[in-house]
Amino acid sequence: MTTVIKNGTIVTADLTYKADVKIDGGKIIEIGPNLSGDETLDATGCYVMPGGIDPHTHLEMPFMGTYSSDDFESGTRAALSGGTTMVVDFALPAPGQSLLEALTMWDNKSTRANCDYSFHMAVTWWSEQVFKEMETIVRDKGINTFKHFMAYKGALMVDDDEMFASFQRCAELGALPLVHAENGDVVASMSAKLLAEGNNGPEAHAYSRPAEVEGEATNRAIMIADMAGCPVYIVHTSCEQAHEAIRRARAKGMRVYGEPLIQHLTLDESEYSNPDWDHAARRVMSPPFRNKQHQDSLWAGLASGSLQVVATDHCAFTTAQKRFGVGDFTKIPNGTGGLEDRMPMLWTHGVNTGRLTMNEFVAVTSTNIAKILNIYPKKGAILVGADADIVVWDPQRSKTISFKAQQSAIDYNVFEGKEVTGLPRYTLTRGVVAIEEGAIKTREGHGEFVRREPVTAVSKALSQWKDITAPRKVTRSGIPASGV
Ligand SMILES: NC(=O)NCCC(=O)O
Ligand SMILES: [Zn+2]
Ligand SMILES: [Zn+2]
């Protein structure tokens, strides 16, 4: 059965034009005027865009003594509801655990996904076994990204030595390292000091990890990647210091990507001063929300191209789970939701204000990350042959965000009460209509794992340049006799 999306305006990362889109077998098969098919979706007044790709989610994540509360069914349903048609989650080996064994655990969880998905593999420890398994993960499992935490000391954190070894392995394999860049040692010490002084509320979480702690680690990660000869992707870039580190590196030709979150772009640190403990604790995440100066830097980075991807780091915990940290902020599970709200919030605060063009919106929510992950134009494109992951975006539709109407499995929403204008009329996942106006028509298990091959054009070029500029031994005649 063929489907035609009619009377819409196609908006891609670089083009805006009126045309119909014809779909068959989960793929786009034709783009042009006056198309017809078995089923017609009316896109009058709407923009036909590549479905969003959220490269940073934590569904059913074992973390801080509990599990994040959205599973692959509810999380991907929330994603589709907000126009996102692919998520990339994280397989997290416990320190000492086989990477392949960890992947099996996540493979088992993801069978219930409503949309396509993939995994980053975390490197949470280092050994000859990890070195060898990374090749299997890349070659056999189709995962070309490896996550490194510089924070969460005693849990997920790796040190510089381990990171350097892993980054060098990424360079050999043509893989991309991702980094959570906060100085975990300093955070641990600051946290202990704050608790000892009786500063134990949710606000102290933000005090324990100021922007300088993130900026330093971002610089360090960039330096280590440069020495290792690989690109690097900095996740949840939340502040000016981190953005400036990325911008400076890119201006010097280094292959560095930055990922602000929709939460950091639109919510600020004043939330932590709320007199309601629950309100503040629900917003505890790492890095913490920052102030307006930092938000302005992130928005400027998206418009100027020094930051490339807007994600959510969707890692939702219920109020009851957040209350594990009553009396000790270090026990508040870190994380907030955002999967469903990312695109409507970014459209409202970006496109509707003129901070972003529609084409930039598509670039930072879909196309850029598809290219970085080496899945373009299968994903992130409105092109013949691409997967029919499409959002028919109605710029006039509006709603007030409320946890009462959300798909995510938690009892609050950090964007509660925010008015958004710009919502999906339809969201299609490989040609199947999953969202129609407000109706949820998702199909559990419809989602498929998306393989991602190594060696992007960027990593290949970087390796070539590093070979040419590698330090060369100087040949000398008449070496003096040893002084011994
Ligand atoms: N970000 C956060 O607070 N929780 C999720 C885990 C991580 O990304 O650091
Ligand atoms: Zn993180
Ligand atoms: Zn994360």
Side-chain angles (χ1 to χ4, degrees):
M1 184 186 83
T2 58
T3 299
V4 173
I5 300 172
K6 284 196 74 65
N7 310 319
T9 299
I10 294 174
V11 178
T12 69
D14 44 20
L15 288 175
T16 305
Y17 62 102
K18 285 195 77 61
D20 298 342
V21 178
K22 189 166 186 175
I23 298 159
D24 193 11
K27 299 275 189 188
I28 296 173
I29 60 167
E30 192 176 356
I31 298 171
N34 309 316
L35 302 183
S36 60
D38 304 318
E39 175 192 29
T40 298
L41 301 178
D42 180 18
T44 303
C46 291
Y47 299 117
V48 180
M49 306 188 296
I53 300 171
D54 191 336
H56 192 159
T57 64
H58 299 284
L59 303 174
E60 297 179 68
M61 175 192 191
F63 194 45
M64 300 178 74
T66 185
Y67 282 80
S68 59
S69 58
D70 273 313
D71 60 22
F72 275 81
E73 194 287 316
S74 64
T76 53
R77 183 164 24 94
L80 288 162
S81 174
T84 291
T85 54
M86 180 178 171
V87 300
V88 188
D89 210 275
F90 292 80
L92 299 165
Q97 181 184 23
S98 152
L99 276 59
L100 294 167
E101 184 185 295
L103 183 58
T104 304
M105 291 164 62
W106 262 261
D107 276 337
N108 294 338
K109 297 179 188 185
S110 53
T111 54
R112 302 179 58 223
N114 295 292
C115 71
D116 285 2
Y117 60 92
S118 188
F119 299 117
H120 307 293
M121 174 57 68
V123 174
T124 57
W125 64 296
W126 188 253
S127 69
E128 186 65 21
Q129 179 187 341
V130 173
F131 176 89
K132 285 182 181 150
E133 286 195 336
M134 285 175 75
E135 179 164 21
T136 307
I137 291 288
V138 170
R139 303 263 184 273
D140 301 347
K141 303 299 182 184
I143 291 174
N144 64 12
T145 42
F146 291 91
K147 174 72 176 293
H148 306 75
F149 293 90
M150 299 171 81
Y152 306 131
K153 185 171 186 176
L156 298 169
M157 179 175 150
V158 287
D159 66 27
D160 290 1
D161 263 350
E162 293 165 325
M163 223 156 80
F164 187 44
S166 180
F167 281 25
Q168 286 175 296
R169 187 58 165 156
C170 286
E172 286 165 17
L173 297 169
L176 173 67
L178 279 62
V179 179
H180 173 138
E182 290 181 296
N183 187 311
D185 288 321
V186 169
V187 168
S189 300
M190 301 256 283
S191 300
K193 184 170 179 297
L194 286 157
L195 284 175
E197 294 160 355
N199 214 330
N200 59 20
E203 67 282 3
H205 172 81
Y207 303 154
S208 72
R209 43 213 322 143
E212 288 73 11
V213 164
E214 183 185 345
E216 179 278 329
T218 303
N219 270 303
R220 185 156 34 107
I222 290 169
M223 176 277 291
I224 292 173
D226 189 30
M227 295 303 111
C230 63
V232 65
Y233 180 103
I234 309 294
V235 303
H236 47 47
T237 305
S238 80
C239 64
E240 183 171 32
Q241 286 86 331
H243 173 208
E244 282 306 301
I246 294 165
R247 190 185 57 75
R248 273 196 311 274
R250 288 177 64 89
K252 291 167 68 177
M254 294 180 188
R255 302 296 188 168
V256 181
Y257 305 109
E259 177 205 80
L261 304 182
I262 188 61
Q263 299 93 317
H264 292 129
L265 284 162
T266 59
L267 302 173
D268 68 47
E269 60 188 3
S270 63
E271 304 277 15
Y272 300 122
S273 307
N274 193 296
D276 176 356
W277 190 95
D278 284 335
H279 180 99
R282 289 165 178 159
R283 289 151 180 84
V284 164
M285 71 169 298
S286 294
F289 301 169
R290 308 291 191 186
N291 65 27
K292 189 178 175 309
Q293 171 198 338
H294 295 297
Q295 289 179 336
D296 287 348
S297 171
L298 300 179
W299 280 107
L302 293 174
S304 69
S306 52
L307 297 172
Q308 293 75 33
V309 177
V310 175
T312 65
D313 193 1
H314 184 96
C315 188
F317 297 97
T318 62
T319 301
Q321 288 175 300
K322 290 284 189 175
R323 286 177 177 170
F324 294 168
V326 172
D328 178 352
F329 69 87
T330 65
K331 294 191 169 50
I332 299 172
N334 286 201
T336 57
L339 258 170
E340 191 165 349
D341 312 302
R342 175 179 69 128
M343 292 175 76
M345 283 292 289
L346 189 68
W347 185 275
T348 302
H349 294 270
V351 178
N352 289 350
T353 64
R355 290 187 104 155
L356 293 177
T357 67
M358 295 192 292
N359 309 100
E360 288 162 348
F361 175 86
V362 171
V364 302
T365 57
S366 184
T367 305
N368 287 353
I369 192 62
K371 292 178 177 175
I372 291 167
L373 297 180
N374 212 14
I375 52 178
Y376 183 84
K378 171 183 172 62
K379 300 293 188 186
I382 301 290
L383 289 171
V384 170
D387 285 0
D389 284 2
I390 298 172
V391 59
V392 177
W393 193 261
D394 185 341
Q396 303 308 319
R397 284 192 77 216
S398 65
K399 74 172 183 181
T400 301
I401 293 175
S402 172
F403 80 95
K404 297 187 179 77
Q406 71 187 6
Q407 300 304 311
S408 185
I410 53 172
D411 55 326
Y412 64 93
N413 185 309
V414 294
F415 301 105
E416 187 73 25
K418 302 280 185 198
E419 179 92 17
V420 288
T421 300
L423 288 165
R425 176 180 292 178
Y426 300 103
T427 306
L428 290 83
T429 165
R430 294 199 324 278
V432 175
V433 175
I435 303 295
E436 182 170 352
E437 304 278 354
I440 306 293
K441 300 182 169 181
T442 53
R443 299 179 187 178
E444 183 173 330
H446 167 80
E448 295 177 348
F449 175 79
V450 179
R451 277 185 65 89
R452 296 177 286 115
E453 299 309 325
V455 188
T456 61
V458 166
S459 61
K460 187 174 179 196
L462 178 55
S463 299
Q464 196 175 357
W465 180 244
K466 286 292 183 181
D467 285 348
I468 291 172
T469 56
R472 296 273 188 279
K473 177 177 170 50
V474 174
T475 47
R476 294 182 178 84
S477 58
I479 301 288
S482 160
V484 177

